[in-house]
Amino acid sequence: MTEFFRLPPSGIKVIIVGTGFGGLCAAIECNRKGHDVILLEKVAELKPLGDIISFSSNSGHIFERWEGVVEKLEPIIHHSDGLSFHDWKGNFATKQVWGDEKQWGRRINGHRGEIQLTVFEHAKARGIDIRLGQRVTEYFETDTEAGVIVNGERLTADCVFAGEGVKSAGRKIVLGFEDRPKPSGYAVYRAWMSSEELAKNERTKHLVNNGDSHSGWIGEDKHFLAAAIKNGKEFSWVLTHKDDADIDEDWQFPGDKEEVKRNLEGWSPVVHDIVDLTPPDKLVDYKLVFRDPLPTFISPKARIALIGDAAHPFLPTSIQGASQSMEDGVTLAITLEKSGKDNVPRAIRAYEAIRYERVHRAQMTGVTTREQWHKADWDKIWKDVKSLHLKREAWLLDFDAETHAYEVVDDVLKKLDKGVTVKTDSLSEPTPAATNGIQAQLAQEIDQLA
Ligand SMILES: Cc1cc2nc3c(=O)[nH]c(=O)nc-3n(C[C@H](O)[C@H](O)[C@H](O)COP(=O)(O)OP(=O)(O)OC[C@H]3O[C@@H](n4cnc5c(N)ncnc54)[C@H](O)[C@@H]3O)c2cc1C
């Protein structure tokens, strides 16, 4: 039987809402640090839904601490050495190789549902109290406890983490009003399928017949990314494009191949063949919504914390949403460990202080990457093809949330005890101006998207 690392019981009771990567990671990390967790999820059964998701080295460290998880993921994740870029017509431009990044940690790219189920099974094996089919409808807090109404029942704990994604009901108690999701101005067509037909096609077989591969085609206001996985046996592609549909919520529905091909007029025959060979029932049209950045992630009495997309929705182009949601849980588990049961609000405030600036900086990279590709001036790019490369920044990726939280938590708690408002991960003097600057810049960038 696997022995799991666990600190002695802290006596702290935590309710966590949502079994996305935010909620699952928070549950596992709280369990590791000795806290008692109830994890609530509205769906009755977790199914391996979705398609490709990428975790960078910053979350690789987190997976690695969970006994046996990386070993289970290894056979099902993507294993290419780099990303080959082409222009939209199909001319090869450059290959970005990940070799140098290996020293930063492990990258994990694969099927969202398969990775999530592996993590879910790990949480179950740890004996975490996971309750499926539990829809949370309300949050509340007092000076001494916090809780939720779930399926009509009142549950209480020392604190609650709201990790129900972009449509979070927990935002209401933090904001004091209900905010609306806003269209991002973009949508994605996505597919995950068997590679069998691609392997028989002259123009696409090179993508799947030599093991895993990763390729991108970049054009004005659009990019098309494709990955072969499981030694080339399965294939996933994503087309990000402008979309001005007026939507209320995140939504997805079956995609229309003819519409996808209209979007790709004048593009490489390779991408057209990929679309043609996609089984219609595997194609999804997914509208991307966003929310304005929040001034805070925590409730007025600091017993409820928003985590993951509930606190900070991410554009897929940042390739960081899931990783950042995991960093939230790691940090909270440690601030609770260091503050103790009698000082839970102090821990929740420290979580926000440690995470706020970093997560907003990470959010901005999604806009930057997309604009870098969609507004590419190809005359310039052919003179400097590496300008297409994804920016892989050490501050973001060469980072271990656990090490960082342990390094800064005492200092943050001391500052909070002195009544200093801290919202920075740099731990320089409190930087309200810098923080407001980031928030304003992000809001402006998001406005420009629509
Ligand atoms: C198209 C697309 C591609 C992406 N690609 C990447 C990528 O490659 N890499 C990356 O890092 N990020 C990516 N992201 C972002 C990433 O998916 C999210 O940032 C991340 O999954 C957020 O996790 P979460 O746990 O906060 O929320 P979610 O994954 O949304 O999970 C929320 C959970 O809460 C449950 N829930 C909701 N309401 C309730 C309720 N009332 N009661 C109980 N349970 C509830 C839901 O059923 C769900 O299980 C992508 C996003 C999109 C839209």
Side-chain angles (χ1 to χ4, degrees):
M1 225 175 80
T2 315
E3 281 218 5
F4 297 112
F5 168 87
R6 188 157 195 234
L7 292 180
S10 66
I12 300 173
K13 290 202 169 79
V14 188
I15 293 172
I16 302 175
V17 185
T19 57
F21 287 102
L24 276 172
C25 175
I28 294 168
E29 288 297 321
C30 282
N31 176 273
R32 290 181 74 241
K33 305 299 177 194
H35 316 318
D36 285 334
V37 174
I38 297 176
L39 178 58
L40 304 169
E41 167 57 52
K42 71 175 177 188
V43 306
E45 187 191 352
L46 244 66
K47 296 190 181 136
L49 299 175
D51 43 69
I52 194 111
I53 192 159
S54 304
F55 296 87
S56 301
S57 39
N58 53 320
S59 49
H61 298 297
I62 305 172
F63 284 103
E64 274 176 346
R65 289 197 177 94
W66 300 342
E67 298 83 355
V69 168
V70 162
E71 291 75 4
K72 289 206 177 96
L73 292 176
E74 214 31 53
I76 56 168
I77 60 175
H78 178 80
H79 290 286
S80 73
D81 61 345
L83 169 57
S84 298
F85 287 94
H86 310 77
D87 70 3
W88 71 101
K89 289 179 280 189
N91 300 304
F92 172 78
T94 173
K95 181 167 178 180
Q96 181 169 12
V97 177
W98 313 121
D100 290 349
E101 274 182 38
K102 284 206 176 119
Q103 54 182 331
W104 290 351
R106 184 188 292 273
R107 299 166 72 241
I108 294 173
N109 306 326
H111 190 284
R112 172 191 292 261
E114 291 174 359
I115 298 176
Q116 192 178 2
L117 272 184
T118 306
V119 175
F120 180 77
E121 289 305 325
H122 178 74
K124 267 192 359 196
R126 284 183 160 272
I128 294 172
D129 180 357
I130 305 175
R131 304 183 188 178
L132 299 179
Q134 306 288 310
R135 179 184 288 274
V136 168
T137 46
E138 227 177 281
Y139 289 77
F140 57 84
E141 63 176 345
T142 67
D143 289 334
T144 54
E145 60 180 18
V148 292
I149 306 290
V150 53
N151 291 359
E153 191 194 342
R154 196 180 152 94
L155 274 185
T156 56
D158 293 302
C159 55
V160 178
F161 306 163
E164 342 91 304
V166 76
K167 295 177 212 164
S168 164
R171 288 172 74 100
K172 192 173 163 194
I173 192 157
V174 166
L175 292 176
F177 60 90
E178 260 180 85
D179 69 333
R180 308 282 306 159
K182 56 205 280 185
S184 70
Y186 283 83
V188 282
Y189 292 108
R190 314 174 59 86
W192 184 289
M193 60 211 210
S194 153
S195 301
E196 217 176 314
E197 294 306 316
L198 298 168
K200 294 182 205 153
N201 180 290
E202 278 309 309
R203 281 196 289 243
T204 56
K205 65 182 186 190
H206 69 284
L207 298 172
V208 298
N209 280 352
N210 306 306
D212 291 356
S213 71
H214 197 188
S215 311
W217 291 261
I218 311 295
E220 194 178 340
D221 281 331
K222 294 179 191 95
H223 65 272
F224 189 104
L225 296 174
I229 198 163
K230 297 185 189 167
N231 203 20
K233 295 280 178 295
E234 295 184 15
F235 195 80
S236 160
W237 64 264
V238 179
L239 168 64
T240 303
H241 62 101
K242 281 202 161 220
D243 185 297
D244 50 14
D246 190 14
I247 43 172
D248 274 346
E249 291 290 340
D250 238 348
W251 46 287
Q252 56 176 325
F253 48 87
D256 173 353
K257 278 214 264 192
E258 289 316 308
E259 231 179 74
V260 180
K261 286 175 66 78
R262 271 197 296 281
N263 260 288
L264 293 172
E265 244 168 62
W267 280 51
S268 162
V270 176
V271 294
H272 278 274
D273 283 4
I274 294 172
V275 175
D276 285 335
L277 294 171
T278 302
D281 63 326
K282 301 289 181 198
L283 178 61
V284 175
D285 182 356
Y286 193 107
K287 312 292 182 198
L288 298 171
V289 298
F290 222 90
R291 292 199 189 239
D292 281 329
L294 295 181
T296 175
F297 299 158
I298 64 177
S299 59
K301 294 181 188 293
R303 286 199 175 258
I304 300 172
L306 301 178
I307 59 170
D309 274 10
H312 40 70
F314 268 76
L315 291 173
T317 34
S318 66
I319 327 173
Q320 270 294 318
S323 296
Q324 291 300 317
S325 74
M326 290 173 69
E327 288 189 9
D328 288 347
V330 171
T331 308
L332 269 163
I334 290 171
T335 59
L336 284 172
E337 174 199 341
K338 290 291 178 177
S339 280
K341 187 170 169 73
D342 295 335
N343 287 301
V344 167
R346 186 173 171 252
I348 303 284
R349 290 193 185 98
Y351 150 71
E352 178 183 68
I354 294 171
R355 295 290 299 140
Y356 194 84
E357 188 178 310
R358 174 172 167 80
V359 84
H360 281 122
R361 282 175 73 196
Q363 250 177 323
M364 275 193 283
T365 62
V367 180
T368 321
T369 305
R370 201 202 50 229
E371 295 301 284
Q372 169 197 349
W373 287 347
H374 288 197
K375 307 280 174 254
D377 174 344
W378 280 90
D379 288 337
K380 282 196 189 141
I381 284 174
W382 287 119
K383 290 179 194 134
D384 174 18
V385 285
K386 288 191 173 165
S387 62
L388 281 176
H389 288 191
L390 280 165
K391 290 208 171 29
R392 310 292 291 170
E393 295 177 86
W395 70 266
L396 183 60
L397 304 172
D398 187 10
F399 183 89
D400 178 353
E402 179 172 294
T403 307
H404 177 71
Y406 277 128
E407 271 167 16
V408 302
V409 64
D410 291 336
D411 212 357
V412 168
L413 289 170
K414 260 187 235 151
K415 283 186 172 157
L416 291 172
D417 290 345
K418 283 189 204 149
V420 177
T421 309
V422 199
K423 264 190 196 166
T424 170
D425 63 351
S426 63
L427 281 195
S428 53
E429 281 312 293
T431 55
T435 302
N436 290 341
I438 283 173
Q439 220 180 302
Q441 191 184 343
L442 187 59
Q444 198 185 14
E445 304 230 23
I446 291 164
D447 277 342
Q448 284 165 3
L449 296 174

